[in-house]
Amino acid sequence: MAGLEGTGQPRGAGRPTAARWSPAVEDERALKALELFGNPTEHEVPLPSRPESAATARRLAQVVALRQWNLGPKVTEDAVLLVSELVGNAVRHTGARVFGLRMRRRPGWIRIEVRDPSRGLPCLMPVQETDISGRGLFLVDKLSDRWGVDLLPRGKTTWFEMRVGDR
């Protein structure tokens, strides 16, 4: 069952496509976000729990994926979209004042984590074509290779992992 402590969700190779955000390799706002908030590959970056923080988190994910990790546009697009979904859930559903963003890479994989102080577990719900909200975890489930939730003494970390080619 999705969302159990320490449990991931394996995914097959066939993935649906979603509306894509197109990353610009030279995004000055992304570099500015890295300068202002810090590098999520070096430490957890705290962000205020406000809707506009989703844009900051997307920019941080973009600059790390493109410039530091040298990932291709498709993987970057998917990662940025999924970061936005996890951040949106943290902002809308946890009541937190701050959440944390962390990005990790190991050979063949990337892992992106959003930590918040709520111990409420996210729930993967069935999605209909006419739904105008509630698609966040559906997208995470379909576009990532694995995802899950780790319960912490104070809060939780919701994460996803994606396979990547090492260059």
Side-chain angles (χ1 to χ4, degrees):
M1 198 163 111
L4 294 179
E5 181 175 351
T7 303
Q9 300 297 315
R11 292 289 147 235
R15 297 181 187 164
T17 57
R20 301 279 186 215
W21 162 84
S22 294
V25 175
E26 298 297 326
D27 185 344
E28 289 186 30
R29 290 181 294 180
L31 294 172
K32 187 69 168 174
L34 192 66
E35 181 182 312
L36 287 173
F37 293 96
N39 189 333
T41 65
E42 296 172 0
H43 58 82
E44 181 179 286
V45 172
L47 295 168
S49 188
R50 295 191 303 249
E52 56 270 20
S53 290
T56 301
R58 285 192 301 269
R59 288 182 183 118
L60 290 170
Q62 172 199 349
V63 74
V64 166
L66 288 174
R67 287 181 173 247
Q68 291 183 336
W69 291 347
N70 296 315
L71 300 179
K74 181 182 180 336
V75 174
T76 298
E77 290 172 21
D78 287 349
V80 168
L81 173 63
L82 299 186
V83 163
S84 188
E85 296 301 337
L86 292 187
V87 167
N89 285 347
V91 170
R92 278 190 297 279
H93 302 297
T94 67
R97 288 184 287 178
V98 174
F99 65 90
L101 175 68
R102 182 87 162 116
M103 299 176 68
R104 302 170 191 264
R105 182 163 186 182
R106 65 182 196 271
W109 291 90
I110 62 168
R111 179 181 173 110
I112 300 180
E113 306 170 349
V114 174
R115 186 184 56 80
D116 65 69
S118 169
R119 288 180 54 89
L121 296 175
C123 205
L124 179 60
M125 304 294 287
V127 176
Q128 304 295 320
E129 276 187 45
T130 56
D131 290 345
I132 57 172
S133 67
R135 294 176 181 262
L137 281 182
F138 173 79
L139 290 172
V140 172
D141 189 58
K142 294 301 178 195
L143 296 176
S144 69
D145 291 292
R146 293 191 290 239
W147 72 276
V149 179
D150 296 329
L151 287 176
L152 306 170
R154 294 184 183 209
K156 68 178 174 300
T157 299
T158 307
W159 54 268
F160 68 86
E161 294 181 337
M162 298 171 73
R163 285 187 181 100
V164 296
D166 289 321
R167 294 182 182 193

mmCIF file of all heavy atoms in Angstrom, residues 47-98:
data_model
loop_
_atom_site.group_PDB
_atom_site.id
_atom_site.type_symbol
_atom_site.label_atom_id
_atom_site.label_comp_id
_atom_site.label_asym_id
_atom_site.label_seq_id
_atom_site.Cartn_x
_atom_site.Cartn_y
_atom_site.Cartn_z
ATOM 1 N N LEU A 47 11.750 25.967 3.019
ATOM 2 C CA LEU A 47 10.962 26.927 2.243
ATOM 3 C C LEU A 47 9.668 27.218 2.989
ATOM 4 O O LEU A 47 9.098 26.324 3.627
ATOM 5 C CB LEU A 47 10.647 26.359 0.856
ATOM 6 C CG LEU A 47 11.846 26.136 -0.061
ATOM 7 C CD1 LEU A 47 11.457 25.304 -1.270
ATOM 8 C CD2 LEU A 47 12.426 27.471 -0.497
ATOM 9 N N PRO A 48 9.174 28.460 2.904
ATOM 10 C CA PRO A 48 7.903 28.783 3.574
ATOM 11 C C PRO A 48 6.750 28.040 2.922
ATOM 12 O O PRO A 48 6.727 27.845 1.702
ATOM 13 C CB PRO A 48 7.775 30.291 3.394
ATOM 14 C CG PRO A 48 8.665 30.640 2.254
ATOM 15 C CD PRO A 48 9.748 29.596 2.199
ATOM 16 N N SER A 49 5.813 27.622 3.728
ATOM 17 C CA SER A 49 4.669 26.862 3.213
ATOM 18 C C SER A 49 3.628 27.817 2.633
ATOM 19 O O SER A 49 2.599 28.108 3.241
ATOM 20 C CB SER A 49 4.069 26.020 4.344
ATOM 21 O OG SER A 49 3.100 25.153 3.821
ATOM 22 N N ARG A 50 3.941 28.318 1.454
ATOM 23 C CA ARG A 50 3.068 29.228 0.701
ATOM 24 C C ARG A 50 3.028 28.753 -0.745
ATOM 25 O O ARG A 50 3.996 28.166 -1.237
ATOM 26 C CB ARG A 50 3.612 30.651 0.761
ATOM 27 C CG ARG A 50 3.618 31.251 2.156
ATOM 28 C CD ARG A 50 3.912 32.738 2.112
ATOM 29 N NE ARG A 50 5.182 33.022 1.454
ATOM 30 C CZ ARG A 50 6.263 33.482 2.063
ATOM 31 N NH1 ARG A 50 6.241 33.711 3.348
ATOM 32 N NH2 ARG A 50 7.361 33.731 1.386
ATOM 33 N N PRO A 51 1.934 29.018 -1.437
ATOM 34 C CA PRO A 51 1.825 28.555 -2.831
ATOM 35 C C PRO A 51 2.985 28.993 -3.720
ATOM 36 O O PRO A 51 3.435 28.228 -4.573
ATOM 37 C CB PRO A 51 0.499 29.155 -3.311
ATOM 38 C CG PRO A 51 -0.314 29.292 -2.064
ATOM 39 C CD PRO A 51 0.682 29.644 -0.980
ATOM 40 N N GLU A 52 3.507 30.179 -3.512
ATOM 41 C CA GLU A 52 4.602 30.655 -4.369
ATOM 42 C C GLU A 52 5.903 29.879 -4.159
ATOM 43 O O GLU A 52 6.816 29.950 -4.989
ATOM 44 C CB GLU A 52 4.836 32.164 -4.195
ATOM 45 C CG GLU A 52 5.100 32.608 -2.794
ATOM 46 C CD GLU A 52 3.850 32.999 -1.995
ATOM 47 O OE1 GLU A 52 2.734 32.594 -2.358
ATOM 48 O OE2 GLU A 52 4.027 33.697 -0.993
ATOM 49 N N SER A 53 6.002 29.120 -3.079
ATOM 50 C CA SER A 53 7.200 28.301 -2.856
ATOM 51 C C SER A 53 7.297 27.146 -3.847
ATOM 52 O O SER A 53 8.384 26.614 -4.058
ATOM 53 C CB SER A 53 7.219 27.763 -1.424
ATOM 54 O OG SER A 53 7.464 28.817 -0.522
ATOM 55 N N ALA A 54 6.186 26.767 -4.458
ATOM 56 C CA ALA A 54 6.238 25.720 -5.482
ATOM 57 C C ALA A 54 7.115 26.169 -6.648
ATOM 58 O O ALA A 54 7.899 25.379 -7.179
ATOM 59 C CB ALA A 54 4.836 25.363 -5.964
ATOM 60 N N ALA A 55 7.015 27.448 -7.030
ATOM 61 C CA ALA A 55 7.848 27.963 -8.121
ATOM 62 C C ALA A 55 9.327 27.934 -7.731
ATOM 63 O O ALA A 55 10.186 27.574 -8.538
ATOM 64 C CB ALA A 55 7.426 29.378 -8.495
ATOM 65 N N THR A 56 9.626 28.281 -6.487
ATOM 66 C CA THR A 56 11.006 28.248 -6.014
ATOM 67 C C THR A 56 11.538 26.817 -6.037
ATOM 68 O O THR A 56 12.649 26.560 -6.507
ATOM 69 C CB THR A 56 11.106 28.828 -4.589
ATOM 70 O OG1 THR A 56 10.625 30.170 -4.610
ATOM 71 C CG2 THR A 56 12.535 28.790 -4.081
ATOM 72 N N ALA A 57 10.744 25.874 -5.542
ATOM 73 C CA ALA A 57 11.157 24.467 -5.529
ATOM 74 C C ALA A 57 11.371 23.944 -6.952
ATOM 75 O O ALA A 57 12.328 23.210 -7.209
ATOM 76 C CB ALA A 57 10.124 23.615 -4.791
ATOM 77 N N ARG A 58 10.498 24.337 -7.887
ATOM 78 C CA ARG A 58 10.675 23.931 -9.291
ATOM 79 C C ARG A 58 11.982 24.476 -9.844
ATOM 80 O O ARG A 58 12.722 23.772 -10.533
ATOM 81 C CB ARG A 58 9.502 24.419 -10.143
ATOM 82 C CG ARG A 58 8.232 23.638 -9.971
ATOM 83 C CD ARG A 58 7.206 23.980 -11.040
ATOM 84 N NE ARG A 58 6.833 25.383 -11.051
ATOM 85 C CZ ARG A 58 5.811 25.908 -10.367
ATOM 86 N NH1 ARG A 58 5.065 25.126 -9.595
ATOM 87 N NH2 ARG A 58 5.535 27.185 -10.452
ATOM 88 N N ARG A 59 12.268 25.727 -9.544
ATOM 89 C CA ARG A 59 13.509 26.334 -10.045
ATOM 90 C C ARG A 59 14.738 25.646 -9.468
ATOM 91 O O ARG A 59 15.723 25.418 -10.179
ATOM 92 C CB ARG A 59 13.519 27.823 -9.729
ATOM 93 C CG ARG A 59 12.545 28.599 -10.576
ATOM 94 C CD ARG A 59 12.612 30.084 -10.273
ATOM 95 N NE ARG A 59 11.609 30.766 -11.068
ATOM 96 C CZ ARG A 59 10.586 31.448 -10.566
ATOM 97 N NH1 ARG A 59 10.445 31.572 -9.255
ATOM 98 N NH2 ARG A 59 9.714 32.018 -11.363
ATOM 99 N N LEU A 60 14.695 25.326 -8.179
ATOM 100 C CA LEU A 60 15.820 24.620 -7.567
ATOM 101 C C LEU A 60 16.013 23.250 -8.213
ATOM 102 O O LEU A 60 17.132 22.861 -8.541
ATOM 103 C CB LEU A 60 15.599 24.476 -6.057
ATOM 104 C CG LEU A 60 15.705 25.769 -5.244
ATOM 105 C CD1 LEU A 60 15.219 25.529 -3.819
ATOM 106 C CD2 LEU A 60 17.119 26.304 -5.265
ATOM 107 N N ALA A 61 14.919 22.531 -8.422
ATOM 108 C CA ALA A 61 15.001 21.209 -9.061
ATOM 109 C C ALA A 61 15.538 21.336 -10.484
ATOM 110 O O ALA A 61 16.362 20.523 -10.921
ATOM 111 C CB ALA A 61 13.630 20.536 -9.063
ATOM 112 N N GLN A 62 15.103 22.357 -11.190
ATOM 113 C CA GLN A 62 15.555 22.566 -12.565
ATOM 114 C C GLN A 62 17.057 22.812 -12.638
ATOM 115 O O GLN A 62 17.769 22.168 -13.409
ATOM 116 C CB GLN A 62 14.824 23.758 -13.175
ATOM 117 C CG GLN A 62 15.375 24.172 -14.532
ATOM 118 C CD GLN A 62 14.988 25.577 -14.932
ATOM 119 O OE1 GLN A 62 14.149 26.199 -14.302
ATOM 120 N NE2 GLN A 62 15.604 26.080 -15.971
ATOM 121 N N VAL A 63 17.547 23.726 -11.827
ATOM 122 C CA VAL A 63 18.964 24.076 -11.921
ATOM 123 C C VAL A 63 19.844 22.903 -11.475
ATOM 124 O O VAL A 63 20.900 22.656 -12.067
ATOM 125 C CB VAL A 63 19.273 25.387 -11.157
ATOM 126 C CG1 VAL A 63 19.275 25.203 -9.654
ATOM 127 C CG2 VAL A 63 20.592 25.990 -11.636
ATOM 128 N N VAL A 64 19.415 22.156 -10.465
ATOM 129 C CA VAL A 64 20.191 20.989 -10.032
ATOM 130 C C VAL A 64 20.188 19.921 -11.122
ATOM 131 O O VAL A 64 21.241 19.392 -11.497
ATOM 132 C CB VAL A 64 19.641 20.418 -8.703
ATOM 133 C CG1 VAL A 64 20.201 19.033 -8.418
ATOM 134 C CG2 VAL A 64 19.966 21.365 -7.555
ATOM 135 N N ALA A 65 19.010 19.589 -11.649
ATOM 136 C CA ALA A 65 18.908 18.527 -12.652
ATOM 137 C C ALA A 65 19.688 18.862 -13.923
ATOM 138 O O ALA A 65 20.407 18.009 -14.457
ATOM 139 C CB ALA A 65 17.446 18.252 -12.982
ATOM 140 N N LEU A 66 19.571 20.085 -14.399
ATOM 141 C CA LEU A 66 20.227 20.457 -15.656
ATOM 142 C C LEU A 66 21.706 20.767 -15.496
ATOM 143 O O LEU A 66 22.532 20.283 -16.275
ATOM 144 C CB LEU A 66 19.527 21.666 -16.279
ATOM 145 C CG LEU A 66 18.154 21.419 -16.889
ATOM 146 C CD1 LEU A 66 17.532 22.732 -17.326
ATOM 147 C CD2 LEU A 66 18.227 20.436 -18.043
ATOM 148 N N ARG A 67 22.058 21.556 -14.495
ATOM 149 C CA ARG A 67 23.433 22.048 -14.395
ATOM 150 C C ARG A 67 24.345 21.163 -13.557
ATOM 151 O O ARG A 67 25.504 20.980 -13.895
ATOM 152 C CB ARG A 67 23.453 23.464 -13.839
ATOM 153 C CG ARG A 67 22.965 24.473 -14.834
ATOM 154 C CD ARG A 67 23.042 25.863 -14.238
ATOM 155 N NE ARG A 67 22.729 26.832 -15.261
ATOM 156 C CZ ARG A 67 23.605 27.694 -15.744
ATOM 157 N NH1 ARG A 67 24.824 27.719 -15.285
ATOM 158 N NH2 ARG A 67 23.252 28.544 -16.673
ATOM 159 N N GLN A 68 23.828 20.658 -12.430
ATOM 160 C CA GLN A 68 24.700 19.857 -11.568
ATOM 161 C C GLN A 68 24.693 18.393 -11.959
ATOM 162 O O GLN A 68 25.730 17.738 -11.919
ATOM 163 C CB GLN A 68 24.280 20.013 -10.105
ATOM 164 C CG GLN A 68 24.571 21.398 -9.575
ATOM 165 C CD GLN A 68 24.212 21.532 -8.115
ATOM 166 O OE1 GLN A 68 23.383 20.805 -7.587
ATOM 167 N NE2 GLN A 68 24.840 22.477 -7.454
ATOM 168 N N TRP A 69 23.521 17.872 -12.278
ATOM 169 C CA TRP A 69 23.417 16.447 -12.579
ATOM 170 C C TRP A 69 23.467 16.153 -14.069
ATOM 171 O O TRP A 69 23.538 14.996 -14.476
ATOM 172 C CB TRP A 69 22.138 15.882 -11.984
ATOM 173 C CG TRP A 69 22.142 15.836 -10.483
ATOM 174 C CD1 TRP A 69 23.201 15.990 -9.641
ATOM 175 C CD2 TRP A 69 21.018 15.601 -9.641
ATOM 176 N NE1 TRP A 69 22.806 15.869 -8.338
ATOM 177 C CE2 TRP A 69 21.463 15.625 -8.304
ATOM 178 C CE3 TRP A 69 19.658 15.368 -9.879
ATOM 179 C CZ2 TRP A 69 20.623 15.429 -7.218
ATOM 180 C CZ3 TRP A 69 18.817 15.181 -8.810
ATOM 181 C CH2 TRP A 69 19.300 15.206 -7.492
ATOM 182 N N ASN A 70 23.393 17.175 -14.918
ATOM 183 C CA ASN A 70 23.440 17.021 -16.375
ATOM 184 C C ASN A 70 22.402 16.034 -16.902
ATOM 185 O O ASN A 70 22.693 15.222 -17.780
ATOM 186 C CB ASN A 70 24.842 16.594 -16.829
ATOM 187 C CG ASN A 70 25.874 17.648 -16.537
ATOM 188 O OD1 ASN A 70 25.652 18.827 -16.784
ATOM 189 N ND2 ASN A 70 26.989 17.236 -15.973
ATOM 190 N N LEU A 71 21.191 16.096 -16.363
ATOM 191 C CA LEU A 71 20.116 15.223 -16.823
ATOM 192 C C LEU A 71 19.508 15.783 -18.096
ATOM 193 O O LEU A 71 19.575 16.979 -18.367
ATOM 194 C CB LEU A 71 19.041 15.085 -15.745
ATOM 195 C CG LEU A 71 19.516 14.503 -14.409
ATOM 196 C CD1 LEU A 71 18.355 14.446 -13.417
ATOM 197 C CD2 LEU A 71 20.139 13.133 -14.591
ATOM 198 N N GLY A 72 18.885 14.924 -18.853
ATOM 199 C CA GLY A 72 18.235 15.344 -20.084
ATOM 200 C C GLY A 72 16.941 16.095 -19.822
ATOM 201 O O GLY A 72 16.412 16.083 -18.703
ATOM 202 N N PRO A 73 16.400 16.738 -20.856
ATOM 203 C CA PRO A 73 15.187 17.534 -20.693
ATOM 204 C C PRO A 73 13.976 16.734 -20.201
ATOM 205 O O PRO A 73 13.223 17.222 -19.373
ATOM 206 C CB PRO A 73 14.923 18.110 -22.091
ATOM 207 C CG PRO A 73 16.217 18.008 -22.804
ATOM 208 C CD PRO A 73 16.964 16.860 -22.206
ATOM 209 N N LYS A 74 13.772 15.511 -20.674
ATOM 210 C CA LYS A 74 12.583 14.750 -20.264
ATOM 211 C C LYS A 74 12.627 14.389 -18.784
ATOM 212 O O LYS A 74 11.650 14.580 -18.063
ATOM 213 C CB LYS A 74 12.427 13.479 -21.090
ATOM 214 C CG LYS A 74 11.164 12.724 -20.654
ATOM 215 C CD LYS A 74 10.963 11.445 -21.378
ATOM 216 C CE LYS A 74 9.743 10.682 -20.963
ATOM 217 N NZ LYS A 74 9.196 10.902 -19.652
ATOM 218 N N VAL A 75 13.760 13.887 -18.320
ATOM 219 C CA VAL A 75 13.885 13.548 -16.900
ATOM 220 C C VAL A 75 13.740 14.814 -16.060
ATOM 221 O O VAL A 75 13.073 14.810 -15.024
ATOM 222 C CB VAL A 75 15.223 12.837 -16.613
ATOM 223 C CG1 VAL A 75 15.427 12.624 -15.126
ATOM 224 C CG2 VAL A 75 15.283 11.510 -17.347
ATOM 225 N N THR A 76 14.357 15.905 -16.519
ATOM 226 C CA THR A 76 14.244 17.171 -15.799
ATOM 227 C C THR A 76 12.796 17.627 -15.734
ATOM 228 O O THR A 76 12.306 18.012 -14.667
ATOM 229 C CB THR A 76 15.123 18.250 -16.465
ATOM 230 O OG1 THR A 76 16.490 17.833 -16.397
ATOM 231 C CG2 THR A 76 14.961 19.598 -15.773
ATOM 232 N N GLU A 77 12.089 17.573 -16.848
ATOM 233 C CA GLU A 77 10.674 17.975 -16.876
ATOM 234 C C GLU A 77 9.849 17.160 -15.891
ATOM 235 O O GLU A 77 9.048 17.710 -15.134
ATOM 236 C CB GLU A 77 10.101 17.799 -18.284
ATOM 237 C CG GLU A 77 10.633 18.764 -19.302
ATOM 238 C CD GLU A 77 10.186 18.410 -20.713
ATOM 239 O OE1 GLU A 77 9.180 17.680 -20.857
ATOM 240 O OE2 GLU A 77 10.830 18.862 -21.659
ATOM 241 N N ASP A 78 10.042 15.844 -15.916
ATOM 242 C CA ASP A 78 9.285 14.972 -15.011
ATOM 243 C C ASP A 78 9.625 15.274 -13.552
ATOM 244 O O ASP A 78 8.735 15.382 -12.708
ATOM 245 C CB ASP A 78 9.560 13.503 -15.317
ATOM 246 C CG ASP A 78 8.911 13.024 -16.596
ATOM 247 O OD1 ASP A 78 8.071 13.758 -17.171
ATOM 248 O OD2 ASP A 78 9.232 11.895 -17.033
ATOM 249 N N ALA A 79 10.898 15.418 -13.246
ATOM 250 C CA ALA A 79 11.314 15.693 -11.871
ATOM 251 C C ALA A 79 10.741 17.021 -11.382
ATOM 252 O O ALA A 79 10.237 17.115 -10.251
ATOM 253 C CB ALA A 79 12.837 15.693 -11.764
ATOM 254 N N VAL A 80 10.790 18.043 -12.221
ATOM 255 C CA VAL A 80 10.265 19.357 -11.846
ATOM 256 C C VAL A 80 8.752 19.282 -11.611
ATOM 257 O O VAL A 80 8.243 19.847 -10.634
ATOM 258 C CB VAL A 80 10.626 20.405 -12.913
ATOM 259 C CG1 VAL A 80 9.855 21.701 -12.722
ATOM 260 C CG2 VAL A 80 12.130 20.674 -12.886
ATOM 261 N N LEU A 81 8.042 18.584 -12.464
ATOM 262 C CA LEU A 81 6.599 18.415 -12.290
ATOM 263 C C LEU A 81 6.294 17.713 -10.970
ATOM 264 O O LEU A 81 5.428 18.140 -10.208
ATOM 265 C CB LEU A 81 6.006 17.623 -13.456
ATOM 266 C CG LEU A 81 4.529 17.229 -13.324
ATOM 267 C CD1 LEU A 81 3.642 18.459 -13.274
ATOM 268 C CD2 LEU A 81 4.128 16.313 -14.469
ATOM 269 N N LEU A 82 7.023 16.647 -10.670
ATOM 270 C CA LEU A 82 6.750 15.885 -9.454
ATOM 271 C C LEU A 82 7.139 16.655 -8.197
ATOM 272 O O LEU A 82 6.459 16.550 -7.166
ATOM 273 C CB LEU A 82 7.439 14.533 -9.511
ATOM 274 C CG LEU A 82 6.999 13.631 -10.676
ATOM 275 C CD1 LEU A 82 7.632 12.260 -10.570
ATOM 276 C CD2 LEU A 82 5.489 13.544 -10.781
ATOM 277 N N VAL A 83 8.192 17.449 -8.261
ATOM 278 C CA VAL A 83 8.528 18.328 -7.144
ATOM 279 C C VAL A 83 7.364 19.273 -6.875
ATOM 280 O O VAL A 83 6.948 19.467 -5.733
ATOM 281 C CB VAL A 83 9.818 19.136 -7.438
ATOM 282 C CG1 VAL A 83 9.959 20.322 -6.501
ATOM 283 C CG2 VAL A 83 11.034 18.240 -7.328
ATOM 284 N N SER A 84 6.828 19.839 -7.929
ATOM 285 C CA SER A 84 5.695 20.757 -7.789
ATOM 286 C C SER A 84 4.511 20.078 -7.123
ATOM 287 O O SER A 84 3.835 20.663 -6.269
ATOM 288 C CB SER A 84 5.302 21.292 -9.171
ATOM 289 O OG SER A 84 4.350 22.309 -9.049
ATOM 290 N N GLU A 85 4.245 18.835 -7.477
ATOM 291 C CA GLU A 85 3.118 18.102 -6.886
ATOM 292 C C GLU A 85 3.351 17.820 -5.406
ATOM 293 O O GLU A 85 2.444 17.999 -4.585
ATOM 294 C CB GLU A 85 2.863 16.798 -7.651
ATOM 295 C CG GLU A 85 2.445 16.985 -9.090
ATOM 296 C CD GLU A 85 1.164 17.791 -9.265
ATOM 297 O OE1 GLU A 85 0.344 17.852 -8.327
ATOM 298 O OE2 GLU A 85 0.996 18.378 -10.345
ATOM 299 N N LEU A 86 4.549 17.374 -5.031
ATOM 300 C CA LEU A 86 4.822 17.102 -3.618
ATOM 301 C C LEU A 86 4.786 18.376 -2.791
ATOM 302 O O LEU A 86 4.265 18.391 -1.670
ATOM 303 C CB LEU A 86 6.173 16.403 -3.446
ATOM 304 C CG LEU A 86 6.290 14.982 -3.979
ATOM 305 C CD1 LEU A 86 7.636 14.387 -3.570
ATOM 306 C CD2 LEU A 86 5.153 14.093 -3.507
ATOM 307 N N VAL A 87 5.324 19.453 -3.329
ATOM 308 C CA VAL A 87 5.295 20.733 -2.617
ATOM 309 C C VAL A 87 3.853 21.221 -2.481
ATOM 310 O O VAL A 87 3.443 21.681 -1.416
ATOM 311 C CB VAL A 87 6.172 21.778 -3.328
ATOM 312 C CG1 VAL A 87 5.914 23.179 -2.799
ATOM 313 C CG2 VAL A 87 7.642 21.411 -3.172
ATOM 314 N N GLY A 88 3.074 21.098 -3.540
ATOM 315 C CA GLY A 88 1.666 21.495 -3.468
ATOM 316 C C GLY A 88 0.923 20.747 -2.377
ATOM 317 O O GLY A 88 0.137 21.335 -1.623
ATOM 318 N N ASN A 89 1.180 19.455 -2.252
ATOM 319 C CA ASN A 89 0.547 18.669 -1.190
ATOM 320 C C ASN A 89 0.991 19.146 0.188
ATOM 321 O O ASN A 89 0.177 19.253 1.105
ATOM 322 C CB ASN A 89 0.858 17.180 -1.354
ATOM 323 C CG ASN A 89 0.073 16.541 -2.466
ATOM 324 O OD1 ASN A 89 -0.881 17.120 -2.989
ATOM 325 N ND2 ASN A 89 0.476 15.353 -2.861
ATOM 326 N N ALA A 90 2.282 19.427 0.340
ATOM 327 C CA ALA A 90 2.787 19.894 1.631
ATOM 328 C C ALA A 90 2.158 21.238 2.005
ATOM 329 O O ALA A 90 1.783 21.457 3.159
ATOM 330 C CB ALA A 90 4.314 20.004 1.602
ATOM 331 N N VAL A 91 2.020 22.127 1.038
ATOM 332 C CA VAL A 91 1.446 23.453 1.302
ATOM 333 C C VAL A 91 -0.051 23.349 1.603
ATOM 334 O O VAL A 91 -0.545 23.954 2.550
ATOM 335 C CB VAL A 91 1.709 24.400 0.107
ATOM 336 C CG1 VAL A 91 0.916 25.690 0.233
ATOM 337 C CG2 VAL A 91 3.203 24.688 -0.017
ATOM 338 N N ARG A 92 -0.780 22.570 0.816
ATOM 339 C CA ARG A 92 -2.246 22.506 0.954
ATOM 340 C C ARG A 92 -2.732 21.651 2.111
ATOM 341 O O ARG A 92 -3.753 21.957 2.717
ATOM 342 C CB ARG A 92 -2.869 21.966 -0.336
ATOM 343 C CG ARG A 92 -3.042 22.999 -1.410
ATOM 344 C CD ARG A 92 -3.889 22.472 -2.564
ATOM 345 N NE ARG A 92 -3.286 21.347 -3.269
ATOM 346 C CZ ARG A 92 -2.352 21.453 -4.199
ATOM 347 N NH1 ARG A 92 -1.903 22.631 -4.546
ATOM 348 N NH2 ARG A 92 -1.870 20.381 -4.793
ATOM 349 N N HIS A 93 -2.036 20.567 2.406
ATOM 350 C CA HIS A 93 -2.637 19.565 3.291
ATOM 351 C C HIS A 93 -1.987 19.392 4.655
ATOM 352 O O HIS A 93 -2.488 18.610 5.460
ATOM 353 C CB HIS A 93 -2.658 18.206 2.584
ATOM 354 C CG HIS A 93 -3.407 18.219 1.298
ATOM 355 N ND1 HIS A 93 -4.754 18.485 1.218
ATOM 356 C CD2 HIS A 93 -2.994 18.002 0.025
ATOM 357 C CE1 HIS A 93 -5.141 18.424 -0.044
ATOM 358 N NE2 HIS A 93 -4.091 18.143 -0.795
ATOM 359 N N THR A 94 -0.882 20.072 4.956
ATOM 360 C CA THR A 94 -0.190 19.757 6.205
ATOM 361 C C THR A 94 -0.346 20.802 7.303
ATOM 362 O O THR A 94 -0.090 20.499 8.456
ATOM 363 C CB THR A 94 1.319 19.543 5.966
ATOM 364 O OG1 THR A 94 1.907 20.787 5.574
ATOM 365 C CG2 THR A 94 1.560 18.468 4.926
ATOM 366 N N GLY A 95 -0.696 22.015 6.968
ATOM 367 C CA GLY A 95 -0.779 23.065 7.974
ATOM 368 C C GLY A 95 0.578 23.538 8.468
ATOM 369 O O GLY A 95 0.680 24.225 9.472
ATOM 370 N N ALA A 96 1.619 23.168 7.758
ATOM 371 C CA ALA A 96 2.983 23.523 8.163
ATOM 372 C C ALA A 96 3.284 24.985 7.841
ATOM 373 O O ALA A 96 2.699 25.556 6.927
ATOM 374 C CB ALA A 96 3.981 22.627 7.449
ATOM 375 N N ARG A 97 4.204 25.571 8.591
ATOM 376 C CA ARG A 97 4.697 26.908 8.266
ATOM 377 C C ARG A 97 5.893 26.824 7.331
ATOM 378 O O ARG A 97 6.159 27.738 6.569
ATOM 379 C CB ARG A 97 5.080 27.660 9.528
ATOM 380 C CG ARG A 97 3.853 28.079 10.335
ATOM 381 C CD ARG A 97 4.254 28.906 11.508
ATOM 382 N NE ARG A 97 4.865 28.011 12.490
ATOM 383 C CZ ARG A 97 5.371 28.385 13.630
ATOM 384 N NH1 ARG A 97 5.375 29.654 13.953
ATOM 385 N NH2 ARG A 97 5.892 27.513 14.456
ATOM 386 N N VAL A 98 6.621 25.686 7.397
ATOM 387 C CA VAL A 98 7.828 25.486 6.595
ATOM 388 C C VAL A 98 7.869 24.020 6.176
ATOM 389 O O VAL A 98 7.420 23.140 6.910
ATOM 390 C CB VAL A 98 9.089 25.822 7.428
ATOM 391 C CG1 VAL A 98 10.361 25.490 6.662
ATOM 392 C CG2 VAL A 98 9.089 27.273 7.852
#
